[in-house]
Amino acid sequence: MISRRDFLQAAVAASAVYGASGIGNWAKLAAQQALGQDQLLQFETFGNVTLIHITDIHGQLKPIWFREPEINLGVGAATGKPPHVTGEDFLKMFDITPGTPEAYALSHVDFVSLARGYGRMGGLDRVATVLNAIRADRPEALLLDGGDTWHGSYTCLKTNAQDMVNVMNRLKPDAMTSHWEFTLGIDRVNEIVEGLDFPFLGANIFDAEWDEPAYEPYQMFERGGAQIAVIGQAFPYMPIANPGWMFPGLSFGVREERMAAVVAEVREAGADLVVVLSHNGFDTDRQMAARVPGIDVILTGHTHDALPEPVLVGQTLLIASGSNGKFVTRLDLDVQGGQVLGFRHKLIPIFSDVIAPDPEVAALIDAERAPYKADLEEVLGTTDSLLYRRGNFNGTWDDLICNALIEEREADIALSPGFRWGPSLVPGDPITREDVFNVTSMSYPNAYRSEMSGEMLHVILEDVADNLFNPDPYYQQGGDMVRVGGMGYHIDVSKPQGSRITNMTLLKTGEAIDPARTYVVSGWASVNEGTEGPPIWDVVEAYIRRKGTVSVDPNMSVQVTGA
């Protein structure tokens, strides 16, 4: 008798061959040299349950450019596995033809020319159109938001996230989980949560004093005759990656044993389908899927991965739906007697020039932005370079930010955090104030200027590197590698903590960084309370205005081995 795992594996393979997941459909569209809304939304309705997933919107209400990473290294058991395959290797792995719409949406290859051909992506008014179409076909579909929603833009900062709350309420999610939401501060989070029409889930968020759940761990839904448990898993490392003083009294963590207990609880309560709505990050979710039995689907977020096919771990489907509103995932499942008997999956690309905006949501978005229109649209300068953030090491937006910190703050070395959020700009684009805030907007933006010893700089780099390259995913606690300006180094990602970083060099002199010497360092987004300095967006704006046209040279200062 075929096992359930073999059955699901066969379904994944069939999905790729027959285009049920969307890749086959996209390939046909590419062959026709045409894109149309009807084709993008085409789906063979299947089974009795539909899940819709969107995650990591980061405050982006309007269509944007967003270049996928050129480098996304995996370590340990994740080496060479999706999502740690990029560029031409990614296209080959998923049988995607270069130059096609899916190649543009899913990889960095030839990004600039394809961006000019296929246009911007995303926009929550276009997302609304997709949701309307899915709900018309499957009225009982569940819309699940993976978090990092109330953060990341000028208007989100100025309205204390009310713009995103209002627009998302109009989209009518059935549940959400969280990460950057907590950087609004605990009082603001709780104020918003109390007014939501849907649950804010976090099985792994506890009241630290009483050691009891701080938010609802899960929600049960009845859809298509099946009982569906949706378990929330918030970002586990909030007090490490973000300022703990903004949400005192809360503790987080992966809490694998807690997840296992909640899965058992919902199964005992009659759940036919167990869905984890997660902000763990893909590798952490992959490990959790392998170690916690009874999870049918993990809708994964945080690492911004967009995969055109599900990844099967044991009997668990991992679904990655990208970021910034670029994609919406539709997952149809045949759920009978507590088992998943089959599925259909499609990662729907939100090509903003192809998908018509929903008029009501478009009007709502424009109304939210109207009070700030002049500030949003003010042009500060122009870029001659492709500006992007994604990638384990170098991102030209952060190179620009580091250059601004060095020049405007008169520093030897600059540090910019390895954030994944932030849209791209293509060469020739004007740089508006909105563009700057899209890559800097946050609630602890102060650009500090201090002295650090060479030894301290080494410790910082080693610590951040271990957050990214520890072979145990449960210890991968942050984003990408801290970006460094004015300094080069060599990293061997295969080494243990403390011995990955060597050959640290001060670029302006070519001299080796002296562990005993102090250097003037400027950076931003310190998690320490009371950090002083101007907000980073003021520093970057002053730099761009002074330059007029910015150009960022290729950054060759980081040498990587061991991958």
Side-chain angles (χ1 to χ4, degrees):
M1 177 181 293
I2 187 171
S3 70
R4 178 164 174 259
R5 183 188 186 284
D6 289 340
F7 183 83
L8 290 174
Q9 186 67 66
V12 170
S15 172
V17 171
Y18 296 114
S21 68
I23 280 296
N25 293 337
W26 280 3
K28 292 175 184 176
L29 291 174
Q32 297 166 359
Q33 294 297 304
L35 281 173
Q37 178 171 305
D38 290 344
Q39 292 96 324
L40 290 174
L41 299 180
Q42 185 178 4
F43 194 95
E44 183 183 344
T45 303
F46 178 81
N48 56 325
V49 171
T50 295
L51 306 179
I52 310 170
H53 183 225
I54 188 168
T55 189
D56 294 279
I57 300 170
H58 285 288
Q60 298 306 312
L61 295 171
K62 290 284 193 176
I64 47 91
W65 311 115
F66 189 85
R67 176 189 185 269
E68 298 297 329
E70 183 174 350
I71 300 175
N72 184 7
L73 299 178
V75 293
T79 302
K81 296 180 180 179
H84 303 292
V85 182
T86 60
E88 292 180 357
D89 291 334
F90 182 97
L91 300 183
K92 291 176 183 176
M93 174 173 282
F94 292 103
D95 195 23
I96 299 172
T97 302
T100 55
E102 70 271 25
Y104 163 57
L106 288 164
S107 80
H108 77 281
V109 177
D110 205 15
F111 178 81
V112 172
S113 64
L114 294 179
R116 289 174 173 146
Y118 290 116
R120 296 174 188 261
M121 299 192 69
L124 291 192
D125 50 1
R126 278 79 166 177
V127 168
T129 296
V130 174
L131 299 180
N132 293 340
I134 297 173
R135 285 165 167 159
D137 182 46
R138 188 66 72 94
E140 291 190 331
L142 287 177
L143 172 60
L144 303 173
D145 174 9
D148 276 1
T149 305
W150 311 337
H151 157 270
S153 73
Y154 183 94
T155 55
C156 194
L157 183 71
K158 295 298 183 181
T159 65
N160 216 6
Q162 195 62 48
D163 66 328
M164 287 301 299
V165 172
N166 292 344
V167 174
M168 291 303 293
N169 279 344
R170 176 61 181 78
L171 300 185
K172 295 181 169 34
D174 292 284
M176 72 175 293
T177 191
S178 58
H179 171 199
W180 275 91
E181 283 74 12
F182 281 99
T183 64
L184 293 169
I186 187 64
D187 291 341
R188 177 58 176 155
V189 170
N190 288 339
E191 178 186 23
I192 294 173
V193 169
E194 288 170 6
L196 292 178
D197 294 330
F198 52 89
F200 182 87
L201 302 177
N204 61 328
I205 311 175
F206 273 60
D207 181 301
E209 181 178 358
W210 299 101
D211 194 32
E212 62 184 19
Y215 298 92
E216 293 181 71
Y218 64 88
Q219 183 79 11
M220 296 287 285
F221 301 91
E222 183 177 352
R223 295 289 191 275
Q227 291 292 324
I228 304 167
V230 177
I231 303 171
Q233 176 80 354
F235 179 58
Y237 302 109
M238 286 299 308
I240 298 171
N242 304 96
W245 54 268
M246 290 184 165
F247 35 91
L250 294 181
S251 65
F252 294 78
V254 175
R255 300 185 187 270
E256 183 184 285
E257 292 182 0
R258 163 70 170 165
M259 178 59 70
V262 174
V263 171
E265 178 181 333
V266 299
R267 285 292 188 189
E268 187 174 344
D272 298 299
L273 179 74
V274 176
V275 178
V276 175
L277 180 61
S278 173
H279 208 89
N280 275 338
F282 196 94
D283 289 344
T284 301
D285 280 326
R286 180 171 13 222
Q287 181 157 299
M288 177 176 281
R291 292 166 54 160
V292 176
I295 302 172
D296 295 300
V297 178
I298 298 181
L299 303 173
T300 186
H302 176 59
T303 39
H304 291 198
D305 309 300
L307 294 180
E309 303 292 346
V311 170
L312 184 63
V313 179
Q315 298 181 359
T316 304
L317 292 169
L318 266 65
I319 307 296
S321 303
S323 67
N324 288 271
K326 277 185 70 176
F327 302 97
V328 172
T329 286
R330 175 175 176 173
L331 179 66
D332 280 19
L333 303 121
D334 183 15
V335 181
Q336 305 293 336
Q339 295 231 346
V340 176
L341 301 183
F343 71 91
R344 297 288 185 274
H345 165 273
K346 187 172 185 178
L347 183 69
I348 303 169
I350 310 300
F351 288 102
S352 62
D353 291 341
V354 177
I355 297 174
D358 175 88
E360 291 185 10
V361 176
L364 175 58
I365 290 171
D366 288 343
E368 295 291 340
R369 291 166 56 87
Y372 312 99
K373 189 173 188 296
D375 286 337
L376 289 166
E377 295 178 355
E378 184 172 351
V379 175
L380 311 177
T382 303
T383 179
D384 273 348
S385 302
L386 170 64
L387 297 180
Y388 62 90
R389 173 164 274 166
R390 278 306 315 271
N392 290 149
F393 298 99
N394 302 336
T396 49
W397 254 124
D398 285 305
D399 289 338
L400 187 155
I401 291 171
C402 285
N403 292 342
L405 287 167
I406 289 172
E407 293 194 20
E408 302 298 319
R409 302 288 283 155
E410 298 179 343
D412 300 315
I413 295 167
L415 301 177
S416 187
F419 296 142
R420 297 185 180 94
W421 49 272
S424 307
L425 291 178
V426 299
D429 272 354
I431 305 174
T432 65
R433 181 170 289 113
E434 179 172 23
D435 295 324
V436 170
F437 272 78
N438 278 344
V439 293
T440 60
S441 178
M442 60 189 306
S443 55
Y444 49 105
N446 303 83
Y448 61 84
R449 185 179 186 274
S450 63
E451 292 189 350
M452 295 184 188
S453 68
E455 181 181 11
M456 179 179 292
L457 286 165
H458 185 261
V459 169
I460 290 171
L461 292 180
E462 286 283 0
D463 185 57
V464 178
D466 198 58
N467 286 343
L468 186 59
F469 298 115
N470 192 301
D472 185 340
Y474 285 1
Y475 289 91
Q476 295 172 6
Q477 300 169 353
D480 286 320
M481 189 65 184
V482 61
R483 278 65 163 119
V484 178
M487 186 178 76
Y489 63 91
H490 174 265
I491 179 170
D492 185 337
V493 300
S494 67
K495 298 286 188 181
Q497 184 175 11
S499 57
R500 291 188 178 99
I501 307 294
T502 57
N503 299 332
M504 295 167 58
T505 305
L506 188 65
L507 296 182
K508 67 181 178 181
T509 65
E511 298 173 340
I513 295 292
D514 183 345
R517 179 184 162 187
T518 59
Y519 301 87
V520 178
V521 178
S522 185
W524 63 291
S526 169
V527 299
N528 297 321
E529 189 172 9
T531 299
E532 296 182 351
I536 185 61
W537 47 79
D538 283 354
V539 175
V540 176
E541 178 171 329
Y543 175 80
I544 293 171
R545 285 189 181 279
R546 185 164 55 81
K547 294 290 185 180
T549 298
V550 298
S551 182
V552 182
D553 295 328
N555 190 333
M556 308 300 293
S557 63
V558 179
Q559 303 299 315
V560 183
T561 58

